[in-house]
Coordinates of all heavy atoms in Angstrom, one line a residue:
M3 N -44.2 -41.7 3.6 CA -45.7 -41.4 3.5 C -46.0 -40.0 3.9 O -46.9 -39.4 3.3 CB -46.4 -42.4 4.4 CG -47.8 -42.2 4.5 SD -49.0 -42.9 3.2 CE -48.7 -42.2 1.7
E4 N -45.2 -39.5 4.9 CA -45.6 -38.1 5.3 C -45.3 -37.1 4.2 O -46.0 -36.2 4.1 CB -44.6 -37.8 6.5 CG -45.1 -36.6 7.2 CD -44.6 -36.4 8.7 OE1 -44.3 -37.4 9.3 OE2 -44.7 -35.4 9.1
Q5 N -44.2 -37.4 3.4 CA -43.9 -36.4 2.3 C -45.1 -36.4 1.3 O -45.5 -35.3 0.8 CB -42.6 -36.8 1.7 CG -42.3 -35.8 0.6 CD -40.9 -36.1 0.0 OE1 -40.2 -37.1 0.3 NE2 -40.3 -35.1 -0.8
E6 N -45.6 -37.6 1.0 CA -46.7 -37.7 0.0 C -48.0 -37.1 0.6 O -48.7 -36.3 -0.1 CB -46.9 -39.1 -0.4 CG -47.9 -39.3 -1.5 CD -48.0 -40.7 -2.1 OE1 -47.7 -41.6 -1.4 OE2 -48.4 -40.7 -3.3
F7 N -48.2 -37.2 1.9 CA -49.3 -36.6 2.5 C -49.2 -35.1 2.5 O -50.2 -34.4 2.1 CB -49.4 -37.1 4.0 CG -50.5 -36.5 4.9 CD1 -51.8 -36.7 4.6 CD2 -50.2 -35.6 5.9 CE1 -52.8 -36.1 5.4 CE2 -51.1 -35.0 6.7 CZ -52.4 -35.3 6.5
R8 N -48.1 -34.6 2.8 CA -47.9 -33.1 2.7 C -48.1 -32.6 1.2 O -48.7 -31.5 1.0 CB -46.4 -32.7 3.1 CG -46.1 -33.0 4.5 CD -46.8 -32.0 5.5 NE -46.7 -32.5 6.8 CZ -47.7 -32.4 7.7 NH1 -48.8 -31.8 7.4 NH2 -47.5 -32.9 8.9
K9 N -47.6 -33.4 0.3 CA -47.9 -33.0 -1.2 C -49.4 -33.0 -1.4 O -49.8 -32.1 -2.2 CB -47.2 -34.1 -2.1 CG -46.1 -33.6 -2.9 CD -45.5 -34.7 -3.6 CE -45.5 -34.4 -5.1 NZ -44.6 -35.4 -5.9
A10 N -50.1 -34.0 -0.9 CA -51.6 -34.1 -1.1 C -52.2 -32.8 -0.5 O -53.1 -32.2 -1.0 CB -52.1 -35.3 -0.5
L11 N -51.7 -32.4 0.7 CA -52.3 -31.2 1.4 C -52.0 -30.0 0.6 O -53.0 -29.1 0.4 CB -51.7 -31.1 2.8 CG -52.1 -32.0 3.8 CD1 -51.3 -31.8 5.1 CD2 -53.6 -32.1 4.1
N12 N -50.8 -29.8 0.1 CA -50.5 -28.7 -0.7 C -51.4 -28.6 -2.0 O -51.7 -27.6 -2.5 CB -49.0 -28.7 -1.1 CG -48.2 -28.4 0.1 OD1 -48.6 -27.7 1.1 ND2 -46.9 -28.8 0.0
Y13 N -51.5 -29.8 -2.7 CA -52.3 -29.9 -3.8 C -53.8 -29.3 -3.6 O -54.3 -28.5 -4.3 CB -52.5 -31.3 -4.4 CG -53.4 -31.4 -5.5 CD1 -53.0 -31.1 -6.8 CD2 -54.8 -31.8 -5.4 CE1 -53.9 -31.2 -7.9 CE2 -55.7 -31.9 -6.4 CZ -55.2 -31.6 -7.7 OH -56.1 -31.6 -8.7
I14 N -54.4 -29.7 -2.4 CA -55.7 -29.4 -2.1 C -55.8 -27.9 -1.8 O -56.7 -27.2 -2.1 CB -56.3 -30.2 -0.9 CG1 -56.6 -31.6 -1.5 CG2 -57.6 -29.6 -0.4 CD1 -57.1 -32.6 -0.5
K15 N -54.8 -27.4 -1.1 CA -54.8 -25.9 -0.7 C -54.5 -25.0 -1.9 O -54.9 -23.8 -1.9 CB -53.7 -25.7 0.3 CG -54.0 -26.3 1.7 CD -52.9 -26.1 2.6 CE -53.1 -26.7 3.9 NZ -52.0 -26.6 4.9
D16 N -53.8 -25.5 -3.0 CA -53.5 -24.7 -4.1 C -54.7 -24.3 -4.9 O -55.3 -25.2 -5.6 CB -52.5 -25.4 -5.0 CG -51.8 -24.6 -6.0 OD1 -52.4 -23.5 -6.4 OD2 -50.8 -25.0 -6.7
T17 N -55.0 -23.1 -4.9 CA -56.3 -22.7 -5.6 C -56.1 -22.6 -7.2 O -57.1 -22.5 -7.8 CB -56.7 -21.3 -5.2 OG1 -55.6 -20.4 -5.4 CG2 -57.1 -21.3 -3.7
S18 N -54.9 -22.8 -7.7 CA -54.8 -22.9 -9.1 C -55.1 -24.3 -9.6 O -55.3 -24.5 -10.9 CB -53.3 -22.6 -9.5 OG -52.4 -23.5 -9.1
N19 N -55.3 -25.3 -8.8 CA -55.7 -26.6 -9.2 C -57.2 -26.7 -9.3 O -58.0 -25.9 -8.6 CB -55.3 -27.7 -8.1 CG -53.8 -27.8 -8.1 OD1 -53.1 -27.8 -9.2 ND2 -53.2 -28.0 -6.9
P20 N -57.7 -27.5 -10.2 CA -59.2 -27.6 -10.3 C -59.8 -28.0 -9.0 O -59.3 -28.9 -8.3 CB -59.4 -28.7 -11.4 CG -58.0 -29.2 -11.8 CD -57.0 -28.5 -11.0
P21 N -61.0 -27.5 -8.7 CA -61.6 -27.9 -7.4 C -62.1 -29.3 -7.4 O -62.4 -29.9 -8.5 CB -62.8 -26.9 -7.3 CG -63.1 -26.5 -8.6 CD -61.8 -26.5 -9.4
L22 N -62.0 -30.0 -6.3 CA -62.4 -31.4 -6.2 C -64.0 -31.4 -6.2 O -64.6 -30.6 -5.6 CB -61.9 -32.0 -5.0 CG -60.4 -32.2 -4.9 CD1 -60.1 -32.8 -3.5 CD2 -59.9 -33.1 -5.9
D23 N -64.5 -32.3 -6.9 CA -66.0 -32.5 -6.9 C -66.3 -33.5 -5.8 O -66.3 -34.7 -6.0 CB -66.5 -33.1 -8.3 CG -67.9 -33.2 -8.3 OD1 -68.7 -32.5 -7.5 OD2 -68.5 -34.0 -9.1
T24 N -66.5 -33.0 -4.6 CA -66.8 -33.8 -3.4 C -68.2 -33.6 -2.8 O -68.8 -32.6 -2.9 CB -65.8 -33.5 -2.3 OG1 -65.8 -32.2 -1.9 CG2 -64.4 -33.8 -2.7
N25 N -68.7 -34.7 -2.3 CA -70.0 -34.5 -1.5 C -69.7 -34.4 -0.1 O -68.5 -34.4 0.4 CB -70.9 -35.8 -1.8 CG -70.2 -37.1 -1.4 OD1 -69.5 -37.2 -0.3 ND2 -70.4 -38.2 -2.1
N26 N -70.7 -34.2 0.8 CA -70.5 -33.9 2.2 C -69.8 -35.0 2.9 O -68.9 -34.9 3.8 CB -71.8 -33.6 2.8 CG -72.3 -32.3 2.6 OD1 -71.6 -31.4 2.2 ND2 -73.6 -32.0 2.7
E27 N -70.1 -36.3 2.5 CA -69.4 -37.5 3.1 C -67.9 -37.5 2.9 O -67.1 -37.7 3.7 CB -70.1 -38.8 2.7 CG -69.5 -40.0 3.3 CD -70.2 -41.2 2.9 OE1 -71.4 -41.2 2.4 OE2 -69.6 -42.4 2.9
Q28 N -67.5 -37.2 1.6 CA -66.1 -37.1 1.3 C -65.4 -36.0 2.0 O -64.3 -36.2 2.4 CB -66.0 -37.0 -0.2 CG -66.4 -38.3 -1.0 CD -66.6 -38.1 -2.5 OE1 -67.1 -37.0 -2.9 NE2 -66.4 -39.1 -3.2
K29 N -66.1 -34.8 2.2 CA -65.5 -33.7 2.9 C -65.3 -34.1 4.3 O -64.2 -33.8 4.9 CB -66.4 -32.5 2.8 CG -66.4 -31.9 1.4 CD -67.4 -30.8 1.4 CE -67.6 -30.2 -0.1 NZ -68.6 -29.3 -0.2
L30 N -66.2 -34.8 4.9 CA -66.0 -35.3 6.3 C -64.9 -36.3 6.3 O -64.1 -36.3 7.3 CB -67.3 -35.9 6.8 CG -68.4 -35.0 7.3 CD1 -69.7 -35.8 7.6 CD2 -68.0 -34.2 8.4
D31 N -64.8 -37.2 5.3 CA -63.6 -38.1 5.3 C -62.3 -37.4 5.3 O -61.4 -37.8 6.0 CB -63.8 -39.0 4.1 CG -64.9 -40.0 4.2 OD1 -65.4 -40.3 5.3 OD2 -65.3 -40.6 3.1
F32 N -62.2 -36.4 4.4 CA -60.9 -35.6 4.4 C -60.6 -35.0 5.7 O -59.5 -35.1 6.2 CB -61.0 -34.5 3.2 CG -60.6 -35.0 1.9 CD1 -61.5 -34.9 0.8 CD2 -59.3 -35.5 1.7 CE1 -61.2 -35.2 -0.5 CE2 -59.0 -35.9 0.3 CZ -59.9 -35.7 -0.7
Y33 N -61.6 -34.3 6.3 CA -61.5 -33.7 7.6 C -61.0 -34.7 8.6 O -60.0 -34.5 9.4 CB -62.8 -33.1 8.0 CG -62.7 -32.5 9.5 CD1 -62.1 -31.3 9.7 CD2 -63.2 -33.3 10.5 CE1 -62.0 -30.8 11.0 CE2 -63.0 -32.8 11.8 CZ -62.5 -31.6 12.0 OH -62.3 -31.1 13.4
A34 N -61.7 -35.8 8.7 CA -61.4 -36.9 9.8 C -60.1 -37.4 9.6 O -59.2 -37.6 10.6 CB -62.5 -37.9 9.8
L35 N -59.7 -37.8 8.4 CA -58.4 -38.3 8.1 C -57.3 -37.3 8.4 O -56.2 -37.7 8.9 CB -58.3 -38.9 6.6 CG -59.2 -40.1 6.4 CD1 -59.3 -40.4 4.9 CD2 -58.7 -41.3 7.2
F36 N -57.5 -36.1 8.0 CA -56.5 -35.0 8.3 C -56.3 -34.9 9.8 O -55.2 -34.8 10.3 CB -57.0 -33.7 7.7 CG -56.1 -32.5 8.2 CD1 -54.9 -32.3 7.6 CD2 -56.5 -31.7 9.2 CE1 -54.1 -31.3 7.9 CE2 -55.7 -30.7 9.6 CZ -54.5 -30.4 9.0
K37 N -57.4 -34.8 10.6 CA -57.3 -34.6 12.0 C -56.6 -35.9 12.7 O -55.8 -35.7 13.5 CB -58.7 -34.4 12.6 CG -59.4 -33.1 12.3 CD -58.6 -31.9 12.8 CE -58.8 -31.7 14.2 NZ -58.2 -30.6 14.8
Q38 N -56.9 -37.0 12.2 CA -56.3 -38.3 12.8 C -54.9 -38.3 12.5 O -54.0 -38.6 13.3 CB -57.1 -39.5 12.3 CG -56.6 -40.7 12.9 CD -56.9 -40.8 14.4 OE1 -57.8 -40.1 14.9 NE2 -56.2 -41.6 15.1
A39 N -54.5 -37.9 11.3 CA -53.1 -37.9 10.9 C -52.3 -36.8 11.6 O -51.1 -37.0 11.8 CB -53.0 -37.7 9.3
T40 N -52.9 -35.7 11.9 CA -52.1 -34.6 12.5 C -52.2 -34.5 14.0 O -51.3 -34.0 14.6 CB -52.5 -33.3 11.8 OG1 -53.9 -33.1 12.0 CG2 -52.1 -33.3 10.3
D41 N -53.4 -34.8 14.5 CA -53.7 -34.7 15.9 C -53.9 -35.9 16.7 O -53.9 -35.9 17.9 CB -54.9 -33.8 16.2 CG -54.8 -32.4 15.6 OD1 -53.7 -32.0 15.3 OD2 -55.9 -31.7 15.5
G42 N -54.0 -37.0 16.0 CA -54.3 -38.3 16.7 C -55.8 -38.4 17.1 O -56.6 -37.7 16.6
A43 N -56.1 -39.3 18.0 CA -57.5 -39.6 18.4 C -58.1 -38.3 19.0 O -57.5 -37.5 19.7 CB -57.6 -40.7 19.3
P44 N -59.4 -38.1 18.7 CA -60.1 -37.0 19.3 C -60.2 -37.1 20.9 O -60.3 -38.3 21.4 CB -61.6 -37.0 18.7 CG -61.8 -38.4 18.3 CD -60.4 -39.0 18.0
K45 N -60.3 -36.0 21.5 CA -60.3 -36.0 23.0 C -61.7 -35.3 23.4 O -62.3 -34.5 22.7 CB -59.2 -35.2 23.6 CG -57.9 -36.0 23.4 CD -56.7 -35.0 23.3 CE -55.4 -35.6 23.0 NZ -55.3 -36.2 21.7
G46 N -62.2 -35.7 24.5 CA -63.4 -35.1 25.0 C -64.7 -35.8 24.4 O -64.6 -36.8 23.8
S47 N -65.8 -35.2 24.6 CA -67.0 -35.8 24.2 C -67.5 -35.0 22.9 O -67.1 -33.9 22.7 CB -68.0 -35.7 25.3 OG -68.2 -34.4 25.7
A48 N -68.5 -35.6 22.3 CA -69.1 -35.1 21.1 C -69.8 -33.7 21.4 O -70.4 -33.6 22.5 CB -70.0 -36.0 20.4
P49 N -69.8 -32.8 20.5 CA -70.5 -31.6 20.7 C -72.0 -31.9 20.8 O -72.5 -32.9 20.3 CB -70.2 -30.7 19.4 CG -68.9 -31.3 18.9 CD -68.9 -32.7 19.3
S50 N -72.8 -30.9 21.2 CA -74.2 -31.1 21.3 C -74.9 -31.4 20.0 O -74.3 -31.0 18.9 CB -74.8 -29.7 21.8 OG -76.2 -29.6 21.6
R51 N -75.9 -32.2 20.0 CA -76.7 -32.5 18.8 C -77.2 -31.3 18.1 O -77.5 -31.3 16.9 CB -77.8 -33.5 19.2 CG -77.4 -34.8 19.6 CD -78.6 -35.7 19.9 NE -78.2 -36.9 20.6 CZ -77.8 -38.0 20.0 NH1 -77.9 -38.0 18.7 NH2 -77.5 -39.1 20.6
L52 N -77.3 -30.2 18.8 CA -77.7 -28.9 18.2 C -76.6 -28.3 17.3 O -76.9 -27.5 16.4 CB -78.2 -27.9 19.3 CG -79.4 -28.4 20.2 CD1 -79.6 -27.3 21.2 CD2 -80.6 -28.6 19.4
K53 N -75.4 -28.7 17.5 CA -74.3 -28.1 16.7 C -74.0 -29.2 15.7 O -73.1 -30.0 15.7 CB -73.1 -27.9 17.6 CG -73.3 -26.8 18.6 CD -72.1 -26.5 19.4 CE -72.3 -25.4 20.3 NZ -71.1 -25.1 21.1
V54 N -74.9 -29.3 14.7 CA -74.9 -30.3 13.7 C -73.6 -30.5 12.9 O -73.0 -31.6 12.9 CB -76.0 -30.1 12.6 CG1 -76.0 -31.2 11.6 CG2 -77.4 -30.0 13.4
V55 N -73.0 -29.4 12.4 CA -71.8 -29.5 11.7 C -70.6 -30.0 12.6 O -69.9 -31.0 12.2 CB -71.4 -28.2 11.0 CG1 -70.0 -28.3 10.3 CG2 -72.5 -27.9 10.0
E56 N -70.4 -29.3 13.7 CA -69.4 -29.7 14.6 C -69.5 -31.2 15.1 O -68.5 -31.9 15.2 CB -69.3 -28.8 15.9 CG -68.9 -27.4 15.6 CD -70.2 -26.5 15.2 OE1 -71.2 -27.0 14.9 OE2 -69.9 -25.3 15.1
R57 N -70.7 -31.6 15.4 CA -70.9 -32.9 15.8 C -70.6 -33.9 14.6 O -69.9 -35.0 14.9 CB -72.3 -33.1 16.3 CG -72.6 -34.6 16.9 CD -74.0 -34.7 17.4 NE -74.2 -36.0 18.0 CZ -74.0 -36.3 19.3 NH1 -73.4 -35.4 20.1 NH2 -74.2 -37.5 19.7
A58 N -71.0 -33.6 13.4 CA -70.7 -34.5 12.3 C -69.2 -34.7 12.1 O -68.7 -35.8 11.9 CB -71.4 -34.0 11.1
K59 N -68.5 -33.5 12.3 CA -67.0 -33.6 12.0 C -66.4 -34.4 13.1 O -65.5 -35.3 12.9 CB -66.5 -32.2 12.0 CG -66.8 -31.5 10.8 CD -66.6 -29.9 10.9 CE -65.2 -29.6 10.7 NZ -65.0 -28.1 10.6
F60 N -66.9 -34.2 14.4 CA -66.3 -35.0 15.5 C -66.6 -36.4 15.4 O -65.7 -37.3 15.6 CB -66.9 -34.5 16.8 CG -66.4 -35.1 18.1 CD1 -65.2 -34.7 18.6 CD2 -67.0 -36.3 18.5 CE1 -64.7 -35.3 19.8 CE2 -66.5 -37.0 19.6 CZ -65.3 -36.5 20.3
M61 N -67.8 -36.8 15.0 CA -68.1 -38.2 14.9 C -67.4 -38.9 13.7 O -67.0 -40.1 13.8 CB -69.7 -38.4 14.6 CG -70.5 -37.9 15.8 SD -70.0 -38.5 17.5 CE -70.6 -40.2 17.4
A62 N -67.2 -38.2 12.6 CA -66.3 -38.8 11.5 C -64.9 -39.0 12.0 O -64.4 -40.0 11.7 CB -66.4 -37.8 10.3
W63 N -64.4 -38.1 12.7 CA -63.0 -38.2 13.2 C -63.0 -39.4 14.3 O -62.1 -40.2 14.2 CB -62.6 -36.9 13.9 CG -61.2 -36.8 14.5 CD1 -60.2 -37.7 14.3 CD2 -60.8 -35.8 15.3 NE1 -59.1 -37.3 15.0 CE2 -59.4 -36.1 15.6 CE3 -61.3 -34.6 15.9 CZ2 -58.6 -35.2 16.4 CZ3 -60.5 -33.8 16.6 CH2 -59.2 -34.1 16.9
K64 N -63.9 -39.4 15.2 CA -64.1 -40.5 16.2 C -64.1 -41.9 15.5 O -63.5 -42.8 16.1 CB -65.3 -40.3 17.0 CG -65.5 -41.2 18.2 CD -64.9 -40.8 19.4 CE -65.2 -41.6 20.6 NZ -64.1 -41.7 21.5
A65 N -64.7 -42.0 14.4 CA -64.9 -43.2 13.7 C -63.5 -43.8 13.2 O -63.4 -44.9 12.9 CB -65.8 -43.1 12.5
R66 N -62.5 -42.9 13.1 CA -61.2 -43.2 12.6 C -60.1 -43.3 13.7 O -59.0 -43.3 13.5 CB -60.8 -42.3 11.4 CG -61.7 -42.6 10.2 CD -61.5 -41.5 9.2 NE -62.3 -41.7 8.1 CZ -63.6 -41.6 8.0 NH1 -64.3 -41.2 8.9 NH2 -64.2 -41.9 6.8
E67 N -60.5 -43.1 15.0 CA -59.6 -43.0 16.1 C -58.6 -44.1 16.2 O -57.6 -43.9 16.8 CB -60.3 -42.7 17.4 CG -61.1 -43.9 17.9 CD -61.8 -43.5 19.3 OE1 -61.4 -42.6 19.9 OE2 -62.8 -44.3 19.5
K68 N -58.9 -45.3 15.7 CA -58.0 -46.4 15.8 C -57.0 -46.4 14.7 O -56.0 -47.3 14.7 CB -58.8 -47.7 15.8 CG -59.7 -47.8 17.0 CD -60.3 -49.1 17.3 CE -61.1 -49.0 18.6 NZ -61.7 -50.1 19.1
L69 N -57.0 -45.6 13.8 CA -56.1 -45.6 12.7 C -54.8 -45.0 13.2 O -54.8 -44.0 14.0 CB -56.6 -44.7 11.5 CG -57.7 -45.2 10.6 CD1 -58.0 -44.2 9.6 CD2 -57.4 -46.5 10.0
T70 N -53.6 -45.5 12.8 CA -52.4 -44.9 13.2 C -52.2 -43.6 12.3 O -52.9 -43.5 11.3 CB -51.2 -45.8 12.9 OG1 -51.1 -46.0 11.5 CG2 -51.4 -47.2 13.6
K71 N -51.3 -42.8 12.6 CA -51.0 -41.6 11.9 C -50.7 -42.0 10.4 O -51.3 -41.4 9.5 CB -49.8 -40.9 12.6 CG -49.3 -39.7 11.8 CD -48.2 -39.1 12.5 CE -47.6 -37.8 11.8 NZ -46.6 -37.1 12.5
E72 N -49.9 -43.0 10.2 CA -49.5 -43.4 8.9 C -50.7 -44.0 8.1 O -50.9 -43.7 6.9 CB -48.4 -44.5 9.0 CG -48.0 -44.9 7.6 CD -46.5 -44.9 7.3 OE1 -45.8 -44.1 8.1 OE2 -46.1 -45.6 6.5
E73 N -51.5 -44.8 8.7 CA -52.7 -45.3 8.1 C -53.7 -44.1 7.6 O -54.2 -44.2 6.6 CB -53.5 -46.2 9.0 CG -52.8 -47.6 9.2 CD -53.4 -48.4 10.4 OE1 -54.0 -47.7 11.3 OE2 -53.2 -49.6 10.3
A74 N -53.8 -43.2 8.5 CA -54.7 -42.0 8.2 C -54.1 -41.2 7.0 O -54.9 -40.9 6.1 CB -54.9 -41.1 9.3
M75 N -52.8 -41.0 7.0 CA -52.2 -40.3 5.9 C -52.4 -41.1 4.6 O -52.7 -40.6 3.5 CB -50.7 -40.2 6.1 CG -50.4 -39.2 7.1 SD -48.5 -39.1 7.3 CE -48.4 -38.0 8.7
R76 N -52.2 -42.4 4.6 CA -52.3 -43.3 3.4 C -53.8 -43.2 3.0 O -54.0 -43.1 1.7 CB -52.0 -44.8 3.9 CG -51.9 -45.6 2.7 CD -51.4 -47.0 3.0 NE -49.9 -47.0 3.3 CZ -49.4 -47.2 4.5 NH1 -50.3 -47.6 5.5 NH2 -48.2 -47.1 4.8
E77 N -54.8 -43.3 3.8 CA -56.2 -43.2 3.4 C -56.5 -41.8 2.8 O -57.3 -41.8 1.9 CB -57.1 -43.6 4.6 CG -57.1 -45.0 4.9 CD -58.2 -45.4 5.8 OE1 -59.3 -44.8 5.9 OE2 -58.0 -46.5 6.5
Y78 N -55.9 -40.8 3.4 CA -56.2 -39.4 2.9 C -55.7 -39.4 1.4 O -56.4 -38.8 0.5 CB -55.4 -38.4 3.7 CG -55.7 -37.0 3.4 CD1 -56.6 -36.3 4.1 CD2 -55.0 -36.3 2.4 CE1 -56.9 -34.9 3.9 CE2 -55.2 -35.0 2.1 CZ -56.2 -34.3 2.9 OH -56.4 -33.0 2.6
V79 N -54.5 -39.8 1.2 CA -53.8 -39.9 -0.2 C -54.7 -40.7 -1.1 O -54.9 -40.3 -2.3 CB -52.3 -40.2 -0.1 CG1 -51.8 -40.5 -1.5 CG2 -51.6 -39.2 0.7
A80 N -55.2 -41.8 -0.6 CA -56.0 -42.7 -1.4 C -57.3 -42.1 -1.8 O -57.7 -42.2 -3.0 CB -56.2 -44.1 -0.7
L81 N -57.9 -41.3 -0.9 CA -59.2 -40.6 -1.3 C -58.9 -39.6 -2.3 O -59.6 -39.4 -3.2 CB -59.8 -40.0 0.1 CG -61.0 -39.3 -0.1 CD1 -62.1 -40.1 -0.8 CD2 -61.5 -38.7 1.2
L82 N -57.9 -38.8 -2.1 CA -57.5 -37.8 -3.1 C -57.2 -38.4 -4.5 O -57.7 -37.9 -5.5 CB -56.3 -36.9 -2.7 CG -55.8 -35.9 -3.7 CD1 -56.9 -34.9 -4.0 CD2 -54.6 -35.2 -3.1
T83 N -56.5 -39.5 -4.5 CA -56.2 -40.2 -5.7 C -57.5 -40.7 -6.4 O -57.6 -40.7 -7.7 CB -55.2 -41.3 -5.5 OG1 -54.0 -40.8 -4.9 CG2 -54.8 -42.0 -6.8
K84 N -58.5 -41.2 -5.6 CA -59.8 -41.6 -6.2 C -60.5 -40.4 -6.8 O -61.0 -40.6 -7.9 CB -60.6 -42.2 -5.1 CG -61.9 -42.6 -5.5 CD -62.7 -43.2 -4.3 CE -64.1 -43.4 -4.7 NZ -65.0 -43.8 -3.5
L85 N -60.4 -39.3 -6.2 CA -61.2 -38.1 -6.7 C -60.5 -37.4 -7.8 O -61.0 -36.7 -8.6 CB -61.5 -37.2 -5.6 CG -62.5 -37.8 -4.5 CD1 -62.6 -36.9 -3.3 CD2 -63.8 -38.0 -5.1
A86 N -59.1 -37.3 -7.8 CA -58.3 -36.7 -8.7 C -57.1 -37.5 -9.1 O -56.0 -37.3 -8.5 CB -57.8 -35.3 -8.1
P87 N -57.3 -38.5 -9.9 CA -56.3 -39.5 -10.3 C -54.8 -38.9 -10.6 O -53.8 -39.5 -10.4 CB -56.8 -40.3 -11.3 CG -58.3 -40.1 -11.2 CD -58.5 -38.7 -10.7
K88 N -54.9 -37.7 -11.3 CA -53.6 -37.2 -11.8 C -53.0 -36.1 -10.8 O -52.3 -35.2 -11.3 CB -53.9 -36.6 -13.2 CG -54.2 -37.8 -14.2 CD -54.3 -37.3 -15.6 CE -54.7 -38.4 -16.5 NZ -54.6 -38.1 -17.8
W89 N -53.5 -36.0 -9.6 CA -53.1 -34.9 -8.7 C -51.6 -34.8 -8.5 O -51.0 -33.7 -8.4 CB -53.8 -35.0 -7.3 CG -53.3 -36.1 -6.5 CD1 -53.8 -37.4 -6.4 CD2 -52.2 -36.1 -5.5 NE1 -53.0 -38.1 -5.4 CE2 -52.1 -37.3 -4.9 CE3 -51.4 -35.1 -5.1 CZ2 -51.1 -37.6 -3.9 CZ3 -50.4 -35.3 -4.2 CH2 -50.3 -36.6 -3.6
R90 N -50.9 -35.9 -8.6 CA -49.4 -35.9 -8.3 C -48.7 -35.2 -9.4 O -47.7 -34.5 -9.1 CB -48.9 -37.3 -8.3 CG -49.2 -38.1 -7.0 CD -48.7 -39.5 -7.0 NE -49.0 -40.3 -5.8 CZ -50.2 -40.9 -5.6 NH1 -51.1 -40.9 -6.6 NH2 -50.4 -41.6 -4.5
E91 N -49.2 -35.1 -10.6 CA -48.7 -34.4 -11.7 C -48.7 -32.9 -11.5 O -47.8 -32.2 -12.0 CB -49.3 -34.8 -13.0 CG -49.2 -36.2 -13.5 CD -50.2 -36.5 -14.6 OE1 -50.7 -35.7 -15.2 OE2 -50.3 -37.7 -14.8
R92 N -49.6 -32.4 -10.7 CA -49.7 -31.0 -10.5 C -49.3 -30.5 -9.1 O -49.2 -29.3 -8.8 CB -51.2 -30.5 -10.7 CG -51.8 -30.7 -12.1 CD -53.2 -30.2 -12.1 NE -53.3 -28.8 -11.8 CZ -53.4 -27.9 -12.6 NH1 -53.5 -28.1 -13.9 NH2 -53.5 -26.6 -12.1
A93 N -49.1 -31.5 -8.3 CA -48.7 -31.2 -6.9 C -47.4 -30.6 -6.7 O -46.4 -30.9 -7.5 CB -48.8 -32.5 -6.0
K94 N -47.3 -29.6 -5.8 CA -46.0 -29.0 -5.5 C -45.6 -29.3 -4.1 O -46.5 -29.5 -3.3 CB -46.1 -27.4 -5.6 CG -46.5 -27.0 -7.0 CD -46.8 -25.5 -7.0 CE -47.3 -25.1 -8.4 NZ -48.5 -24.3 -8.4
L95 N -44.3 -29.4 -3.8 CA -43.9 -29.8 -2.5 C -43.7 -28.6 -1.6 O -44.0 -27.5 -1.7 CB -42.6 -30.5 -2.6 CG -42.5 -31.4 -1.3 CD1 -43.3 -32.7 -1.7 CD2 -41.0 -31.8 -1.1

């Protein structure tokens, strides 16, 4: 699963691939799943309500804190597959 997750990350980072058509919720999902897969559960408390973006990112990550590293990777790949079904054909390792 880790190799497929890395492939998915490389696909998203590769600017030669078509951009994903994502809404803010999906962007938060990608962020939260990435953080959970790479860093584990969030530590500390949520940023101030005045820091809207930082708080939204933290809360999205916090909502997934019970996922294992592997589950977060699997959900990340599933989200990418939903948005770009043929991503594996263009992905580089």
